[in-house]
Amino acid sequence: MKNKQWKRVGWLMSLSLILGLSSCTDGAKKSSVLDAQTIVGSIEMVNGDSVWVCRPSALTDTVTLPLSYLAEELQITKLDNRDEALVPVNRVIVSDNYLLVYGHSQTPFKLFDKSGKFICSVGSFGQGPGEYQNVYDAQIDEAGGRVYLLPWSARAILAYDMKGQLVQRVPLYYPVPKGVFRANTKDFLLSVFLLPFNPLPSVAWTQKLNGEVVDTVPARHLTVNPDFSNEVFSQKNGPDFDASLFLFWGRRPDSLYHYTPGRLVSRFTVDFGKKDIPIHSYQELPHHFVGDMSVEKQLDESTFTTEPPVYFIMDKQSLKGAYYKVVNDYLGNMPISGFQYSCSNGYYIANMEPMALKESLSDYLEKNKDVSTKDRERLQKLVDSIHENDNNYILYAKLK
């Protein structure tokens, strides 16, 4: 059998890096964005639990959402410029008081406060004690004074204090090829949801930080073949531990789940009807479900790619929805693409190199003459303040 290879277009794992600035917006306008749309789904009861169901056949219009519809005023932080504080353009975790910046390069996690002051490197890159290479998921637990890291193909989660020193190696009940987690230092508990490679018996479990198991959830129909093309997601945009599987191959009806000790509950799904199931993923925001859909395209006998995805949104309360695009009304309505991939841990986030930020702002101002005088002055002031030797800029806004 010939091996099929994917030529990926980067829309899945690469976050869209977007810009933002604070400004006043029209609250009445924001609240009406989806009001004119049709109902695109329903809430169904399954074993006593509410499950939101979206039907793509009901999605007809494409709406433009202002960023302020989903997030509060956006903050801009220029990171400390010391050599030891330099960071890659990749992922960021925002907590109440900290920014944790990391990527897949040979650079350790960097911890900053929200003013951009460098605090420490968390552990180090390598294969020795307290070191790591590729990390799949991470968490800041401010209440417990810990930073937790889950490497790929892990048998343990690494726990560091807020000075970046390893304080515990938490043994995992099962090996985790790819996984997401939520740790609670105060209650001494850890919950894990993983990519359930066959023959791993569980898809999720809760354990104590000493490794003692509290409960497990059997994998059953969620089992997947051992293929690292697949992913597992948890955006953690609310109090619940959300999780979903993303399958490149063997796509099937699926859900976004909420996991609590002893229970894995379907929270959101899409009814594709009798049509072929496209490549897709789901994510949860505080008041909406969002997702994307794309179809594969064969380039030659053994190479496949994907069409650009379309994005959809459904309001949890009204059940109204549409395809959508986002503009940054904090920035004179600059377009935003792939918005949902920039939302995690309750924040909209972008991580940008200084010159990329400067050039994007300058280009936007040059090409868009209808930007208001107030916004133009604010943006130009920011452009003039950016220097090529700056460290990265982190832009974030708390989700509403």
Side-chain angles (χ1 to χ4, degrees):
M1 180 180 295
K2 295 183 179 180
N3 293 326
K4 295 182 178 179
Q5 297 179 341
W6 278 92
K7 183 178 180 181
R8 303 183 191 174
V9 295
W11 57 269
L12 172 65
M13 296 303 293
S14 298
L15 303 186
S16 299
L17 302 177
I18 318 300
L19 317 177
L21 287 175
S22 299
S23 71
C24 295
T25 55
D26 184 344
K29 182 179 179 181
K30 290 187 298 180
S31 63
S32 65
V33 174
L34 291 177
D35 288 355
Q37 300 305 310
T38 59
I39 292 175
V40 299
S42 60
I43 301 176
E44 301 181 6
M45 299 303 297
V46 179
N47 298 325
D49 297 303
S50 298
V51 182
W52 278 254
V53 181
C54 179
R55 295 178 175 83
S57 59
L59 297 167
T60 55
D61 294 339
T62 298
V63 299
T64 298
L65 300 179
L67 180 58
S68 61
Y69 178 75
L70 299 168
E72 298 173 1
E73 290 188 353
L74 197 143
Q75 309 298 315
I76 301 176
T77 298
K78 181 174 72 172
L79 298 179
D80 197 327
N81 208 35
R82 286 177 284 175
D83 288 345
E84 60 269 31
L86 298 179
V87 297
V89 175
N90 213 303
R91 303 183 66 182
V92 181
I93 293 176
V94 180
S95 66
D96 289 342
N97 297 291
Y98 298 99
L99 304 172
L100 183 65
V101 186
Y102 63 106
H104 296 296
S105 60
Q106 296 184 8
T107 303
F109 281 58
K110 306 285 185 176
L111 186 66
F112 301 82
D113 66 20
K114 279 191 170 177
S115 72
K117 179 182 177 182
F118 178 64
I119 297 174
C120 64
S121 292
V122 179
S124 58
F125 186 89
Q127 295 180 319
E131 296 179 338
Y132 47 83
Q133 293 184 312
N134 293 324
V135 173
Y136 197 79
D137 195 22
Q139 177 189 334
I140 302 174
D141 178 11
E142 283 198 33
R146 295 289 182 267
V147 174
Y148 292 93
L149 308 183
L150 174 62
W152 287 43
S153 300
R155 291 306 303 258
I157 283 180
L158 305 176
Y160 300 83
D161 61 23
M162 303 307 285
K163 296 181 180 179
Q165 300 300 309
L166 182 69
V167 293
Q168 187 178 3
R169 188 176 181 274
V170 182
L172 294 171
Y173 185 56
Y174 291 115
V176 179
K178 288 181 177 180
V180 292
F181 70 95
R182 177 164 282 183
N184 185 329
T185 309
K186 180 181 178 181
D187 295 334
F188 206 61
L189 288 176
L190 169 72
S191 294
V192 180
F193 187 100
L194 76 158
L195 192 60
F197 281 175
N198 187 24
L200 291 175
S202 294
V203 68
W205 74 89
T206 297
Q207 64 174 71
K208 296 183 179 179
L209 295 182
N210 63 6
E212 180 183 344
V213 175
V214 175
D215 77 84
T216 63
V217 176
R220 295 175 180 163
H221 68 284
L222 296 179
T223 298
V224 298
N225 292 326
D227 184 344
F228 280 93
S229 297
N230 301 319
E231 308 290 348
V232 54
F233 293 142
S234 177
Q235 302 308 117
K236 304 168 186 168
N237 284 319
D240 299 294
F241 182 15
D242 65 294
S244 60
L245 299 176
F246 183 102
L247 303 183
F248 280 104
W249 305 108
R251 292 183 294 277
R252 59 200 184 191
D254 55 8
S255 298
L256 181 150
Y257 297 94
H258 282 183
Y259 174 52
T260 57
R263 298 198 73 211
L264 185 65
V265 177
S266 178
R267 175 73 168 173
F268 174 77
T269 189
V270 171
D271 181 1
F272 293 105
K274 296 181 179 180
K275 294 183 177 180
D276 291 339
I277 298 176
I279 298 172
H280 62 277
S281 69
Y282 316 136
Q283 297 180 27
E284 185 172 6
L285 302 180
H287 302 291
H288 303 83
F289 292 103
V290 295
D292 60 72
M293 297 180 290
S294 180
V295 296
E296 68 265 33
K297 179 180 180 181
Q298 188 166 0
L299 300 179
D300 55 41
E301 184 179 356
S302 61
T303 305
F304 291 76
T305 186
T306 58
E307 297 286 355
V310 293
Y311 301 97
F312 64 91
I313 185 168
M314 186 174 84
D315 186 281
K316 292 180 182 178
Q317 184 172 357
S318 71
L319 303 180
K320 293 182 176 182
Y323 297 111
Y324 75 98
K325 57 183 178 180
V326 182
V327 296
N328 195 330
D329 53 329
Y330 296 121
L331 192 91
N333 291 325
M334 177 179 282
I336 294 177
S337 61
F339 170 81
Q340 61 264 46
Y341 293 117
S342 299
C343 295
S344 62
N345 297 286
Y347 286 86
Y348 161 80
I349 308 164
N351 175 358
M352 298 200 71
E353 291 180 341
M355 295 313 294
L357 176 57
K358 188 181 185 82
E359 291 170 5
S360 295
L361 288 169
S362 298
D363 185 63
Y364 181 72
L365 289 174
E366 180 181 348
K367 293 181 178 179
N368 294 271
K369 305 303 181 183
D370 58 346
V371 177
S372 70
T373 300
K374 183 178 179 180
D375 283 340
R376 184 172 293 275
E377 291 176 352
R378 186 185 300 114
L379 295 178
Q380 190 60 55
K381 184 177 180 180
L382 176 59
V383 169
D384 294 341
S385 71
I386 299 172
H387 190 274
E388 63 181 352
N389 292 326
D390 289 342
N391 197 358
N392 285 11
Y393 285 72
I394 307 301
L395 301 92
Y396 62 92
K398 190 173 183 64
L399 296 176
K400 293 179 177 179

